[in-house]
């Protein structure tokens, strides 16, 4: 008996079969993140995921909650990656309760929806449950999400997985878009992305380029 999700490539995501949603990456929401992830690392992961999606032309939806009255504007670093998009503004904590958000999801034509957002236990969990109920496959990039405590983050992940969601991490998600290193179309851009945002992996790439292959350092010389 198989448990491979439908509408996938044998269980795998591709740049063509999914869409990515960024939910409530706003200052006030980030202030409340207290699970075991540094906020700067969280932002780094979100930006890596966003840049990876843009490189591979994955459809992206941005949404914010109570921007003017409470949460503040979406992180400018994230907005700069998608300068032609405006976040869908909401009053409700559950994105799926907002018609404009539901219509944006449907407009992608994708059944695999990747989620990144704040907070894990509310603004990620609630739409995840509703969307699974509507027949979507939901993938939660857990190191590009943050909860108000480690317990809240962990409980939310457990609740979503029990309902059928899939836990993902940032680097693995972007690598799943690439999948085959023989595909050279995105190779150089991907190496640059990982060198900028990939932590130890990116440092290893830079070392390999400069020390093994004797390439020049990836400096931005003006």
């Amino acid at each position: 008996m198989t448990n491979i999700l439908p509408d996938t490539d044998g269980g795998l995501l591709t740049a063509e079969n999914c869409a990515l949603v960024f939910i409530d990456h706003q200052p006030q929401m980030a202030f409340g993140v207290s699970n075991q992830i540094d906020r700067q690392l969280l932002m780094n992961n979100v930006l890596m995921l966003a840049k990876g999606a843009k490189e591979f032309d994955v459809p992206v939806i941005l949404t914010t909650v109570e921007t003017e009255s409470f949460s503040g504007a979406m992180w400018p670093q994230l907005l700069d990656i998608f300068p032609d998009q405006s976040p869908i503004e909401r009053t409700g904590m559950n994105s799926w309760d907002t018609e404009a958000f539901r219509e944006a999801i449907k407009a992608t034509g994708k059944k695999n929806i990747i989620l990144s957002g704040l907070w894990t236990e509310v603004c990620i969990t609630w739409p995840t449950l509703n969307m699974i109920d509507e027949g979507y496959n939901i993938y939660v990039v857990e190191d590009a999400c943050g909860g108000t405590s480690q317990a809240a983050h962990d409980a939310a992940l457990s609740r979503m997985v029990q309902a059928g969601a899939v836990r993902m991490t940032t680097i693995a998600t972007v690598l799943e878009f690439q999948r085959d290193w023989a595909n050279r179309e995105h190779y150089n851009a991907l190496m640059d992305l990982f060198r900028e945002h990939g932590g130890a992996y990116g440092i290893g790439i830079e070392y390999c380029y400069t020390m093994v292959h004797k390439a020049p350092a990836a400096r931005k010389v003006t």
Side-chain angles (χ1 to χ4, degrees), residues 13-215:
L13 295 174
T14 68
E16 294 74 33
N17 71 13
C18 65
L20 175 60
V21 182
F22 292 97
I23 300 176
D24 302 350
H25 293 92
Q26 298 165 264
Q28 183 63 41
M29 304 304 292
F31 294 159
V33 171
S34 294
N35 62 298
Q36 294 171 4
I37 187 169
D38 177 81
R39 291 181 184 88
Q40 188 60 49
L41 176 58
L42 173 64
M43 178 179 284
N44 178 75
N45 291 343
V46 169
L47 298 180
M48 174 164 47
L49 186 62
K51 291 178 182 180
K54 184 172 184 178
E55 173 63 28
F56 286 91
D57 292 322
V58 175
V60 168
I61 296 168
L62 309 175
T63 183
T64 49
V65 64
E66 290 293 323
T67 296
E68 295 296 329
S69 65
F70 179 74
S71 300
M74 181 166 271
W75 298 343
Q77 298 93 332
L78 181 55
L79 291 173
D80 283 346
I81 299 170
F82 307 105
D84 297 326
Q85 288 188 235
S86 297
I88 297 168
E89 179 69 8
R90 314 182 325 275
T91 60
M93 290 177 278
N94 183 357
S95 300
W96 196 249
D97 288 339
T98 299
E99 182 178 1
F101 180 85
R102 296 194 301 271
E103 292 304 315
I105 291 288
K106 293 173 185 176
T108 69
K110 313 298 182 183
K111 299 300 287 186
N112 300 301
I113 308 298
I114 305 170
L115 299 183
S116 164
L118 312 176
W119 298 320
T120 319
E121 65 269 32
V122 177
C123 302
I124 295 298
T125 299
W126 295 358
T128 289
L129 300 178
N130 284 163
M131 293 170 73
I132 289 173
D133 188 55
E134 291 287 334
Y136 291 93
N137 302 324
I138 304 298
Y139 303 80
V140 178
V141 186
E142 62 181 86
D143 60 350
C145 297
T148 57
S149 69
Q150 190 62 44
H153 185 71
D154 291 343
L157 291 169
S158 294
R159 185 181 183 188
M160 289 184 281
V161 168
Q162 287 167 355
V166 179
R167 295 170 65 173
M168 302 282 283
T169 54
T170 304
I171 290 178
T173 302
V174 177
L175 287 175
E176 203 157 329
F177 298 151
Q178 172 69 21
R179 193 165 168 180
D180 188 345
W181 291 121
N183 175 8
R184 307 300 291 186
E185 179 183 358
H186 303 284
Y187 186 92
N188 290 333
L190 204 57
M191 292 300 100
D192 288 341
L193 174 61
F194 286 136
R195 280 188 284 191
E196 181 178 4
H197 293 290
Y201 181 33
I203 293 169
I205 291 170
E206 179 67 10
Y207 179 86
C208 184
Y209 268 54
T210 57
M211 299 301 290
V212 178
H213 298 292
K214 305 304 180 184

